[in-house]
Amino acid sequence: MEGFTDLHSHILPALDDGAGNMDKTKEMLQIAYEEGIRRIIATPHFFASKKSASIERMEETIREVECRMMQWGFYIKIYQGNEIYYRSEVPELLEAGKIATLAGSQYVLVEFDPMTEYSYLRDGILKLDSYGYIPIIAHVERYECLFEKKERLQRVKDHGGYLQVNASSFQGGLFDEMAKRARYIMKHDLLDFVGTDAHSTGKRSPRMKDTADYLYRKLGREKAEKILVTNPKAVIKGEGI
């Protein structure tokens, strides 16, 4: 195993509601390394409606973190990205270079309000696709509209979107709603990516190993590695999935 890629992480210091400072980033990266993560696409939140960290600031912060890792004695490759809160102007902002795609590819990590209407989510995916971007829907298990009518999950994919589930959602109990949804997506071969959505060293830490083990048991090696290794590598390389 060459290590996992985490394509949804708020690990950069003081850029959003994730790691508050460099010490916290170090602790989160140590956890990630111990969990077998070797590549992270850092995805600070981007909100069109309020101030977000600029691409230039993200680039500078990544360089600083990578320099610090040389001193810390372990190394995880960090790529640039954003978790984009969708608004109608997002495609134009992407075109203007105001928002980071994932690792410089055409893939973008997009989130919506959990209570958004399906028509709004669908139209957002279609608009991004029309501009040549490939939307990955962040923590897809959260969207009520997709589970009111579960066939909409496949429609998202038919419209050019991909589905990302948070690793922690698979670890919920038997009656946990997010866990039930995550397992439904997995069982119906709809799962494209798992990300940690890490914000801290506590409940929202960059844990991947238990979920990876679960996917290997339930799906077998070939399907699990496609989700955990092959698909994220394709994003970094800008290749098709």
Side-chain angles (χ1 to χ4, degrees):
M1 173 63 69
E2 58 183 284
F4 305 124
T5 298
D6 185 3
L7 53 64
H8 186 173
S9 178
H10 302 270
I11 205 159
L12 296 179
L15 296 189
D16 62 0
D17 61 344
N21 52 51
M22 189 64 75
D23 287 340
K24 189 62 66 175
T25 292
K26 178 184 178 182
E27 292 173 21
M28 291 172 69
L29 285 168
Q30 285 177 317
I31 292 170
Y33 192 86
E34 290 164 5
E35 290 284 307
I37 295 169
R38 295 295 180 267
R39 291 162 299 280
I40 293 174
I41 305 180
T43 52
H45 290 288
F46 180 91
F47 298 97
S49 60
K50 63 182 182 181
K51 185 174 177 60
S52 303
S54 68
I55 285 180
E56 293 75 20
R57 187 178 173 198
M58 284 191 282
E59 289 173 344
E60 181 180 339
T61 304
I62 289 171
R63 287 195 295 269
E64 183 180 359
V65 170
E66 290 193 323
C67 285
R68 294 288 189 98
M69 275 193 284
M70 298 300 184
Q71 303 167 11
W72 297 336
F74 63 89
Y75 184 75
I76 296 175
K77 175 64 180 175
I78 300 178
Y79 300 89
Q80 189 177 46
N82 273 125
E83 180 182 11
I84 307 162
Y85 191 83
Y86 186 79
R87 288 289 183 266
S88 60
E89 62 266 38
V90 158
E92 289 83 3
L93 291 169
L94 282 161
E95 290 290 279
K98 301 294 186 182
I99 312 175
T101 64
L102 297 179
S105 70
Q106 292 302 104
Y107 291 90
V108 290
L109 184 68
V110 185
E111 70 169 330
F112 296 84
D113 186 285
M115 301 305 295
T116 194
E117 294 184 2
Y118 173 68
S119 60
Y120 185 77
L121 186 149
R122 177 202 63 207
D123 291 349
I125 293 167
L126 290 170
K127 186 171 183 181
L128 286 164
D129 180 72
S130 74
Y131 274 74
Y133 297 102
I134 306 169
I136 298 173
I137 311 305
H139 38 62
V140 71
E141 67 273 24
R142 294 184 183 178
Y143 303 114
E144 296 296 327
C145 67
L146 297 180
F147 289 88
E148 290 171 358
K149 297 182 179 180
K150 293 187 179 71
E151 63 270 19
R152 289 172 174 171
L153 291 160
Q154 182 60 55
R155 288 182 198 164
V156 167
K157 295 168 73 72
D158 294 340
H159 292 316
Y162 290 93
L163 308 185
Q164 179 257 308
V165 172
N166 284 357
S168 59
S169 291
F170 285 100
Q171 301 305 310
L174 186 62
F175 300 106
D176 182 273
E177 185 62 27
M178 294 301 107
K180 288 192 286 187
R181 292 177 178 185
R183 290 162 190 162
Y184 178 91
I185 292 168
M186 178 198 71
K187 289 176 183 176
H188 289 80
D189 291 325
L190 297 168
L191 180 61
D192 300 302
F193 301 96
V194 171
T196 69
D197 192 11
H199 281 68
S200 69
T201 57
K203 186 176 180 181
R204 304 185 72 182
S205 60
R207 305 283 180 185
M208 186 76 82
K209 189 176 184 304
D210 286 348
T211 292
D213 290 345
Y214 176 80
L215 294 178
Y216 275 100
R217 290 197 311 272
K218 294 293 183 180
L219 298 178
R221 186 174 187 85
E222 183 177 352
K223 285 186 177 181
E225 289 205 349
K226 180 172 173 58
I227 295 161
L228 296 165
V229 179
T230 308
N231 286 353
K233 185 183 289 186
V235 169
I236 290 171
K237 291 183 175 181
E239 298 175 347
I241 294 172

